[in-house]
């Protein structure tokens, strides 16, 4: 039943002129994709909070360590244009 309905919708949309096809897809598919992207973002955010970084992880290169000592990590930065 659903497959027959969907086939009818596909036939109806494919019979329209291209500008109308484009408008219908943007009006219906655009918000759907935004909602799906938001849901994926929320799920990844919650998963990353749940599995969070270990306390022994080091700071990313180029950032100041949490203890404020900062200078020992400067050697990790490489300027490829100067070498």
């Amino acid at each position: 039943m659903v497959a027959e309905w969907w086939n009818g919708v596909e036939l109806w949309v494919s019979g329209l002129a291209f500008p109308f096809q484009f408008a219908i897809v943007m009006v219906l598919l655009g918000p759907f994709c935004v909602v799906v992207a938001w849901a994926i973002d929320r799920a990844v955010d919650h998963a990353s909070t749940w599995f969070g970084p270990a306390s022994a992880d080091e700071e990313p290169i180029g950032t100041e360590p949490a203890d404020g000592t900062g200078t020992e990590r400067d050697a990790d930065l490489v300027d490829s244009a100067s070498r």
Side-chain angles (χ1 to χ4, degrees), residues 10-81:
E10 286 178 328
L11 287 172
W12 175 72
V13 171
S14 66
L16 295 173
F18 178 74
F20 296 116
Q21 290 178 3
F22 180 79
I24 288 173
V25 168
M26 289 299 107
V27 167
L28 298 177
L29 198 57
F32 175 74
C33 289
V34 168
V35 169
V36 169
W38 176 83
I40 291 170
D41 180 56
R42 296 288 93 206
V44 169
D45 189 34
H46 287 294
S48 65
T49 301
W50 179 264
F51 294 111
S55 60
D57 286 349
E58 66 180 43
E59 297 291 326
I61 294 175
T63 61
E64 290 291 323
D67 60 4
T69 56
T71 58
E72 67 271 2
R73 297 281 315 218
D74 292 339
D76 290 339
L77 298 175
V78 176
D79 184 8
S80 60

